[in-house]
Amino acid sequence: MAKDNKKEPLPPDEPELDRRKTSILGTVVYEYIATGEPVGSATLTQKYNLGVSPATVRAEMAALEDEGYLDQPHTSAGRVPSDRGYRYYVDRLIQPEVIGVEERELIRTEIHRARTQLDSAVDHASHVLSNLTRNIAFAVVPRLDNQTYRHLQLIWVNPHRVHVVLVTDLGIAAQTTIDTSSEVDPDQLTRACNNLNAQLAGRSLHDIDVRLLEELTRETPLPADLVHALAGLFTMRDKAEVERRLFAGGANNLLDQQEFRDFRTLRAILELLEEQQTLYRWLQESLQHEGATVSIGHELGSADMNECSVVTIPYKVGDRNAGALGVLGPRRMQYARLLSLVGHVADSLSALFQNEPQP
Amino acid sequence: MAKDNKKEPLPPDEPELDRRKTSILGTVVYEYIATGEPVGSATLTQKYNLGVSPATVRAEMAALEDEGYLDQPHTSAGRVPSDRGYRYYVDRLIQPEVIGVEERELIRTEIHRARTQLDSAVDHASHVLSNLTRNIAFAVVPRLDNQTYRHLQLIWVNPHRVHVVLVTDLGIAAQTTIDTSSEVDPDQLTRACNNLNAQLAGRSLHDIDVRLLEELTRETPLPADLVHALAGLFTMRDKAEVERRLFAGGANNLLDQQEFRDFRTLRAILELLEEQQTLYRWLQESLQHEGATVSIGHELGSADMNECSVVTIPYKVGDRNAGALGVLGPRRMQYARLLSLVGHVADSLSALFQNEPQP
DNA sequence: TTTTAGCAGTCAACACATGAGAGTGCTAAT
DNA sequence: ATTAGCACTCTCATGTGTTGACTGCTAAAA
């Protein structure tokens, strides 16, 4: 159910903090996420019932700073969580936020509204996520592996060009145009196509490779480069194709966040969205894990992204992770809410792809 | 050839300026576009050989300001072109900039590299344009009207769902999934499909409507709602579908421009990109004109866009305007260069779509 | 009559000083 | 071990010159 949030690997020697430190760290993170202002000892004791005086809190905060859980922007400011502080919060302190029924409903309907097109469903999932989180959301369409072959259409365009449309149980899953060096005969193409459809229908795409295709087209031969291109399509090796199937949006939400008033960060993010590679990589990594992955600040590996965090989560087709989606926002994001939201969107997508076979 | 730049309608009573005013206005615009700094009388006489003293220039500039061609940010600043000043410059003073051979070559190869997929070609056109102009570029795929029917594929998914792929002389031109209320028989579907293909191949999509489809499927009947959905596809009435076929990119370039250091403008533009409707409308309007259209500042009709300009241009399929592309940038954009560039990209796209039929 | 030099006036931008406010660390008392 | 009290530090907002760029105006020159 994608609820058992597994996150980034813990630093192996992450110690456990005592009860009072834990409580103070948690409160600081909570308050800072809520207000965006560095939080001081007085604020803390006034707003939250900690049972100790500001002076004690000060001492504890100083200790937490020494241990690297808190930062101090300058001497006379309050404390701000460090990456490590957020990490501790996310790994141990966070409690999942309950998503309101109307939001759950919105997610479901938005995704189902677009269910007729595979791409649209994922696109809508990304959209609804960016709207609900007021952050950047991104998502990638499912890998072909787990889908089952339904129909292949080879469409003759001219003697040297063939359009290919692959339909799986999930819908139109891939399409491309292939240029062949040798000439293709339209009738021959139709026969090969029918042959393949007869033999492959219902089969998992996982099992289809060059050898199998060559074998199946022995009696209804096709140009070698066409067969290879088809195999390439099935195994999704065509990188350019992959990129087009990543959806991202919500950049306009950035400007709400005070941390993005910095043009360096802003530019870094816009470039990230433009090139897509990094987003794609994050999602691929997420496929390796069960449940959500959270990356905080420097963990993203880019100095320009130090003020950002990313939450990613895979969704399933059949029983395997097939695609993923994520949210990119300020490091000071509402982790609890976002984790619940991405979880819910991922579940909805998984459910959609599970139910697809029957009308 | 898209070279005879027709722009926005001139204000009906736009007077002609005398030689010296013209020269000064032109120089101010040129200098301001180059530097981004308000230009003063001294700068002008020093950098350009005007043959008069700063005092004279001052008098002329004051007059130009009275007439609305120039603005003065504040009393002790130089002059800046007003919308009207830019308009006069674009309409009368501009001389087309010659595009370097390596840039022309880049455009051609980028567009041809992606020629196998209709969408890709347009996407790449938009990309190359945004890279060369360092602004936001956007483009829409060609309307179906002028394309000729090549092949329709109706793919049976389940008794109540059919995938549709439409291939024209330009490639895969449209596709969708249709849910039918009454059941569809797979064999029946295949027969209808073959029938349609036999009858419609080579025909202009312009001529295909509901009546024709109903007539052609009389002997190989299909559910009424399926026929209607098909007709809708041919005439591209499905709005949601249309939106997905607009490509836009280059938002990261914004931050180079000093005028976008203002968050209001920035946000307005990011929202524009997100919703796509306005971009789409601009492009549709551009379809009505031959050659490029320039919209400057307030002409865009949004207060948040007062610091922006847009250049759009249609491209052709056959002999009719079928799609369009454009650039959105600061009002202080290099109009001469941009006009040449969009013209060239449009020509390249047109050429691609002209040549497509033969391999 | 048109152009120009000279000059006073205006305004943004920058640097700098000043004070208020928030929050700390330290110390001595509880 | 905790807390009250206090001196200290640093940011931020505000205010005040000072500088520099450019103008408009006027009176002289062409």
mmCIF file of all heavy atoms in Angstrom, chain B residues 188-204:
data_model
loop_
_atom_site.group_PDB
_atom_site.id
_atom_site.type_symbol
_atom_site.label_atom_id
_atom_site.label_comp_id
_atom_site.label_asym_id
_atom_site.label_seq_id
_atom_site.Cartn_x
_atom_site.Cartn_y
_atom_site.Cartn_z
ATOM 1 N N GLN B 188 -16.462 -7.179 -36.860
ATOM 2 C CA GLN B 188 -17.218 -6.076 -37.424
ATOM 3 C C GLN B 188 -16.344 -4.813 -37.508
ATOM 4 O O GLN B 188 -16.359 -4.088 -38.499
ATOM 5 C CB GLN B 188 -18.409 -5.842 -36.504
ATOM 6 C CG GLN B 188 -19.421 -4.847 -36.958
ATOM 7 C CD GLN B 188 -20.436 -4.625 -35.841
ATOM 8 O OE1 GLN B 188 -20.325 -5.229 -34.761
ATOM 9 N NE2 GLN B 188 -21.396 -3.776 -36.093
ATOM 10 N N LEU B 189 -15.583 -4.613 -36.437
ATOM 11 C CA LEU B 189 -14.700 -3.442 -36.370
ATOM 12 C C LEU B 189 -13.656 -3.510 -37.481
ATOM 13 O O LEU B 189 -13.412 -2.532 -38.191
ATOM 14 C CB LEU B 189 -14.027 -3.396 -34.995
ATOM 15 C CG LEU B 189 -13.291 -2.110 -34.640
ATOM 16 C CD1 LEU B 189 -14.278 -0.980 -34.443
ATOM 17 C CD2 LEU B 189 -12.455 -2.301 -33.379
ATOM 18 N N THR B 190 -13.052 -4.671 -37.623
ATOM 19 C CA THR B 190 -12.028 -4.834 -38.649
ATOM 20 C C THR B 190 -12.599 -4.580 -40.038
ATOM 21 O O THR B 190 -11.991 -3.893 -40.864
ATOM 22 C CB THR B 190 -11.454 -6.262 -38.605
ATOM 23 O OG1 THR B 190 -11.131 -6.584 -37.254
ATOM 24 C CG2 THR B 190 -10.224 -6.379 -39.476
ATOM 25 N N ARG B 191 -13.786 -5.120 -40.266
ATOM 26 C CA ARG B 191 -14.382 -4.939 -41.581
ATOM 27 C C ARG B 191 -14.671 -3.469 -41.863
ATOM 28 O O ARG B 191 -14.338 -2.932 -42.922
ATOM 29 C CB ARG B 191 -15.669 -5.779 -41.691
ATOM 30 C CG ARG B 191 -15.428 -7.113 -42.416
ATOM 31 C CD ARG B 191 -16.682 -7.944 -42.515
ATOM 32 N NE ARG B 191 -17.042 -8.518 -41.215
ATOM 33 C CZ ARG B 191 -18.208 -8.352 -40.614
ATOM 34 N NH1 ARG B 191 -19.139 -7.608 -41.183
ATOM 35 N NH2 ARG B 191 -18.442 -8.912 -39.442
ATOM 36 N N ALA B 192 -15.249 -2.809 -40.884
ATOM 37 C CA ALA B 192 -15.538 -1.387 -41.052
ATOM 38 C C ALA B 192 -14.258 -0.605 -41.316
ATOM 39 O O ALA B 192 -14.203 0.287 -42.166
ATOM 40 C CB ALA B 192 -16.238 -0.852 -39.814
ATOM 41 N N CYS B 193 -13.245 -0.984 -40.591
ATOM 42 C CA CYS B 193 -11.959 -0.295 -40.713
ATOM 43 C C CYS B 193 -11.390 -0.470 -42.121
ATOM 44 O O CYS B 193 -11.001 0.497 -42.780
ATOM 45 C CB CYS B 193 -11.006 -0.854 -39.659
ATOM 46 S SG CYS B 193 -9.428 -0.059 -39.615
ATOM 47 N N ASN B 194 -11.370 -1.692 -42.590
ATOM 48 C CA ASN B 194 -10.868 -1.941 -43.947
ATOM 49 C C ASN B 194 -11.681 -1.178 -44.970
ATOM 50 O O ASN B 194 -11.134 -0.603 -45.926
ATOM 51 C CB ASN B 194 -10.929 -3.438 -44.251
ATOM 52 C CG ASN B 194 -9.901 -4.202 -43.441
ATOM 53 O OD1 ASN B 194 -8.921 -3.616 -42.969
ATOM 54 N ND2 ASN B 194 -10.139 -5.496 -43.246
ATOM 55 N N ASN B 195 -12.946 -1.207 -44.760
ATOM 56 C CA ASN B 195 -13.845 -0.513 -45.664
ATOM 57 C C ASN B 195 -13.517 0.985 -45.735
ATOM 58 O O ASN B 195 -13.353 1.569 -46.815
ATOM 59 C CB ASN B 195 -15.281 -0.735 -45.159
ATOM 60 C CG ASN B 195 -16.293 -0.099 -46.090
ATOM 61 O OD1 ASN B 195 -15.978 0.161 -47.258
ATOM 62 N ND2 ASN B 195 -17.485 0.176 -45.574
ATOM 63 N N LEU B 196 -13.397 1.578 -44.565
ATOM 64 C CA LEU B 196 -13.068 3.006 -44.511
ATOM 65 C C LEU B 196 -11.737 3.285 -45.197
ATOM 66 O O LEU B 196 -11.611 4.232 -45.976
ATOM 67 C CB LEU B 196 -13.022 3.495 -43.061
ATOM 68 C CG LEU B 196 -14.367 3.672 -42.367
ATOM 69 C CD1 LEU B 196 -14.170 4.043 -40.912
ATOM 70 C CD2 LEU B 196 -15.179 4.762 -43.078
ATOM 71 N N ASN B 197 -10.775 2.455 -44.904
ATOM 72 C CA ASN B 197 -9.461 2.675 -45.502
ATOM 73 C C ASN B 197 -9.523 2.609 -47.021
ATOM 74 O O ASN B 197 -8.897 3.414 -47.717
ATOM 75 C CB ASN B 197 -8.465 1.647 -44.970
ATOM 76 C CG ASN B 197 -8.001 2.000 -43.564
ATOM 77 O OD1 ASN B 197 -7.979 3.175 -43.213
ATOM 78 N ND2 ASN B 197 -7.671 1.003 -42.779
ATOM 79 N N ALA B 198 -10.268 1.647 -47.521
ATOM 80 C CA ALA B 198 -10.369 1.507 -48.967
ATOM 81 C C ALA B 198 -11.009 2.747 -49.581
ATOM 82 O O ALA B 198 -10.583 3.231 -50.634
ATOM 83 C CB ALA B 198 -11.187 0.258 -49.309
ATOM 84 N N GLN B 199 -12.009 3.269 -48.898
ATOM 85 C CA GLN B 199 -12.775 4.365 -49.486
ATOM 86 C C GLN B 199 -12.146 5.743 -49.280
ATOM 87 O O GLN B 199 -12.371 6.652 -50.076
ATOM 88 C CB GLN B 199 -14.181 4.394 -48.866
ATOM 89 C CG GLN B 199 -14.840 3.049 -48.881
ATOM 90 C CD GLN B 199 -16.082 3.050 -49.741
ATOM 91 O OE1 GLN B 199 -16.241 3.904 -50.613
ATOM 92 N NE2 GLN B 199 -16.944 2.084 -49.504
ATOM 93 N N LEU B 200 -11.410 5.859 -48.196
ATOM 94 C CA LEU B 200 -10.975 7.214 -47.837
ATOM 95 C C LEU B 200 -9.526 7.528 -48.202
ATOM 96 O O LEU B 200 -9.139 8.696 -48.227
ATOM 97 C CB LEU B 200 -11.175 7.438 -46.332
ATOM 98 C CG LEU B 200 -12.620 7.548 -45.871
ATOM 99 C CD1 LEU B 200 -12.692 7.636 -44.351
ATOM 100 C CD2 LEU B 200 -13.291 8.764 -46.500
ATOM 101 N N ALA B 201 -8.744 6.496 -48.482
ATOM 102 C CA ALA B 201 -7.313 6.721 -48.713
ATOM 103 C C ALA B 201 -7.085 7.796 -49.767
ATOM 104 O O ALA B 201 -7.719 7.780 -50.817
ATOM 105 C CB ALA B 201 -6.647 5.414 -49.122
ATOM 106 N N GLY B 202 -6.195 8.721 -49.445
ATOM 107 C CA GLY B 202 -5.845 9.758 -50.403
ATOM 108 C C GLY B 202 -6.770 10.965 -50.361
ATOM 109 O O GLY B 202 -6.504 11.991 -50.976
ATOM 110 N N ARG B 203 -7.815 10.855 -49.616
ATOM 111 C CA ARG B 203 -8.786 11.932 -49.550
ATOM 112 C C ARG B 203 -8.338 13.011 -48.550
ATOM 113 O O ARG B 203 -7.690 12.703 -47.553
ATOM 114 C CB ARG B 203 -10.101 11.336 -49.071
ATOM 115 C CG ARG B 203 -11.288 12.161 -49.445
ATOM 116 C CD ARG B 203 -12.345 11.285 -50.025
ATOM 117 N NE ARG B 203 -13.608 12.009 -50.076
ATOM 118 C CZ ARG B 203 -14.755 11.432 -50.376
ATOM 119 N NH1 ARG B 203 -14.790 10.135 -50.621
ATOM 120 N NH2 ARG B 203 -15.850 12.150 -50.429
ATOM 121 N N SER B 204 -8.695 14.237 -48.797
ATOM 122 C CA SER B 204 -8.349 15.289 -47.840
ATOM 123 C C SER B 204 -9.256 15.196 -46.609
ATOM 124 O O SER B 204 -10.466 14.997 -46.735
ATOM 125 C CB SER B 204 -8.519 16.665 -48.480
ATOM 126 O OG SER B 204 -8.546 17.650 -47.469
#
